[in-house]
Every structure is written in structure tokens, then in C-alpha cells.
Amino acid sequence: MVAFEVPEVDYTQYTNRQLAAIPLAVLAVALLVILGWQLTTGAPVRLGMEFTGGTELRVQTSTPPSEISTAFDEEATVTPVQTSANTYIVTFPPEAEDIAQQARNNLEPVQGQSTADMVKSVQGTSASFGESTQRLALMGIGLAFVGMSVLVFLMFRTFVPSIAVVISAFSDIVIPVALMNLLGIPLSLGTVAALLMLIGYSVDSDILLNNHILRRSGGFYESTHRAMRTGVTMTVTSLSAMAVMSVVAYFFGIDLLASIGIVLVLGLATDLMNTYMLNLSLLRWYKYEGVSR
């Protein structure tokens, strides 16, 4: 059996600025990506149908995938269903009308199937309901983040260790959101849940590190290694489980689970970097320089 051992990092080789430089640079790039997305699309993140409104059509047809979108009057996005042959999810903007009838008129049924059986399901969300859902989702993320920040400040009651946790959690959310834009993963109710879970994962690992360094006996680097053994094992285990879930969901065509898994994998990998580089550098500065001031 292969044993997982967390290596002991010699942090004395690096200054606090060197440790913090990489996570801060990645965070700055992520903020630029989100800002650029906001300027070009009007929203900071690629929004899914739950937040923009629209109609989703599930059809089974022998028409080639490249020709399906041209069968409709409105702009359409075609996604094949991996687990069902000749089946596609076609999504439309909120203003699309009579799309089921257009599908029956313009698409070819598979052999042995009638035109009436071609449309398997139609689901729609109005634009106003999508905007309302979008506001609620953003409010939920904001309240969760503010609640987490207040709890952290109450726990430590010291500015630097508390702000280190908050900055790390903020970066753990921002970097996956920027990567979602680049990878074409839309913000949906499922990915919002993944972002909320990331706040919990981030706070767990950061508080574990802060507690070992600030409240337990032992030297700074000894406490850091003890926290890393638990924290890295915990995060890598969750990351591995989410990676397996993403791969399985992708092959079975469960797009929502695949998207949730990818967001969590990206966020957990980001959390490792932020906790053991950014948060650690701020804690070391506080321990050796900030306290004496």
C-alpha cells in the first residue's frame, strides 16, 4: 500500500515577501480576468440559464450536431448527452418561442422514431426569475463570507491572524471564479453551492494552521509542520474525491456534478497555496515582527 506522507518544508529558506508574492500575483491576475469579463460581458462571471433565464430543450435526432443550431430561428447552444445516443441538450435565450415545434419541423428523427417523439423535454426559466435567483445567490455568498469573517475575528480577536484567514478565503473564491470564466463553466445553483463549500474548506485549513501556531506549544516551524500534516492530508483527500467525482460525472454526462467537482478541485488546490504560503507568511510576520510592535 502506498503511504501518503506530508513533506516537511524548510520555510527558513524563504522570506515572507517571497512566500506571499506568488499567491498575491495569482490573485491579481484572477481579479484582472474577472474585471475584463465584467467589462466585455456586463457580468463578472459566465452566468448559467438559472440566472439569465432561457429555455432548455432535450431532443433525440439523427441530424448532425453541427447542423442542429441552424434548425432554429434563435441562437442555440448544443451539448451532446454522453449517456444517450443521438441525444442533445439545446439551450436558448429567454426570448425564444415555439422551439419545440421548430425542432419537430426542422430536425430529422432517428430511425424507427416518429417526429412527435423527438422532443424529450422542455424546461424554461423567465428572465425576471433568473435575475431574482441571481440576486439571492449573490446575497447568500456575501452573507456567508461576512458571517465567516465576523466569526474569525471573534475567535482570534487580533487583526493580522484574522485578516490572514479572510484574505486567504477571499482568494480561494476569486481564483476559481476567474478559472470558471476561462474554462467555460457557467455560474449555476450547483456551482454557487461549490463556492459556498469552498468558504468552509478554506476556513477549516486556515484556522487549523492559526490555532497550531498561535495557541499550542512548540516552536513556529514545529507547529507549522504539525498543522500541515493534518491540513494537507485533509485537503488532498477531499481534492482526490472531487477529482474522481468530476471524471465519473463527465463520462456519465452529468454536467452539473462535473462542474461542481471541477470548481472544488480548483478551489482546494488554490487553498493549499494560499494557506501554506500567503497565510503562513502573514502569521510568521505577526509572530516575529508584529507582536513586538
Side-chain angles (χ1 to χ4, degrees):
M1 179 181 291
V2 178
F4 177 74
E5 294 287 342
V6 178
E8 185 168 0
V9 181
D10 185 6
Y11 281 105
T12 59
Q13 293 184 350
Y14 309 100
T15 65
N16 292 329
R17 288 184 180 180
Q18 287 174 327
L19 285 175
I22 294 176
L24 288 177
V26 176
L27 175 61
V29 172
L31 288 171
L32 286 175
V33 170
I34 292 173
L35 177 63
W37 205 268
Q38 171 74 47
L39 293 175
T40 54
T41 68
V45 64
R46 187 189 299 268
L47 296 173
M49 196 182 74
E50 294 100 326
F51 299 133
T52 60
T55 307
E56 185 179 277
L57 189 70
R58 184 185 179 98
V59 294
Q60 189 173 31
T61 175
S62 60
T63 301
S66 59
E67 299 176 11
I68 292 178
S69 60
T70 60
F72 299 92
D73 295 337
E74 302 290 342
E75 182 183 356
T77 303
V78 181
T79 306
V81 177
Q82 304 288 345
T83 53
S84 183
N86 298 318
T87 305
Y88 304 91
I89 301 292
V90 191
T91 53
F92 300 87
E95 61 271 14
E97 295 179 349
D98 299 327
I99 55 172
Q101 191 58 46
Q102 290 181 43
R104 296 187 184 97
N105 293 340
N106 302 325
L107 296 178
E108 293 294 330
V110 297
Q111 190 174 8
Q113 185 184 59
S114 67
T115 305
D117 295 333
M118 191 162 33
V119 177
K120 299 300 181 184
S121 64
V122 182
Q123 294 181 339
T125 304
S126 69
S128 59
F129 184 77
E131 289 178 5
S132 173
T133 308
Q134 183 181 339
R135 284 196 297 273
L136 285 174
L138 291 175
M139 190 183 303
I141 293 177
L143 285 175
F145 195 84
V146 170
M148 175 275 295
S149 304
V150 171
L151 183 63
V152 167
F153 274 94
L154 289 176
M155 284 182 65
F156 293 104
R157 299 183 181 184
T158 310
F159 181 74
V160 174
S162 303
I163 202 67
V165 176
V166 173
I167 292 174
S168 182
F170 175 73
S171 183
D172 287 351
I173 299 296
V174 169
I175 293 173
V177 167
L179 290 172
M180 284 169 61
N181 288 338
L182 298 178
L183 297 175
I185 300 174
L187 186 71
S188 63
L189 291 176
T191 50
V192 166
L195 294 175
L196 290 172
M197 282 189 274
L198 279 178
I199 294 176
Y201 278 121
S202 174
V203 171
D204 273 353
S205 56
D206 287 316
I207 288 180
L208 178 71
L209 179 65
N210 286 19
N211 269 333
H212 272 77
I213 291 177
L214 300 177
R215 295 180 173 176
R216 296 197 178 182
S217 59
F220 181 88
Y221 297 107
E222 179 189 354
S223 300
T224 299
H225 183 58
R226 283 204 309 264
M228 284 185 70
R229 278 188 304 187
T230 305
V232 171
T233 303
M234 186 172 64
T235 303
V236 170
T237 303
S238 302
L239 194 153
S240 303
M242 292 303 118
V244 172
M245 185 185 81
S246 303
V247 173
V248 173
Y250 173 77
F251 281 110
F252 281 93
I254 312 172
D255 293 337
L256 178 59
L257 274 183
S259 297
I260 292 173
I262 292 171
V263 171
L264 286 172
V265 167
L266 297 173
L268 290 169
T270 303
D271 182 51
L272 285 175
M273 174 185 71
N274 285 325
T275 302
Y276 302 108
M277 295 180 76
L278 180 59
N279 190 2
L280 183 75
S281 65
L282 290 171
L283 283 175
R284 189 167 65 177
W285 178 87
Y286 171 75
K287 189 86 174 178
Y288 289 110
E289 299 178 44
V291 173
S292 59
R293 292 185 182 184

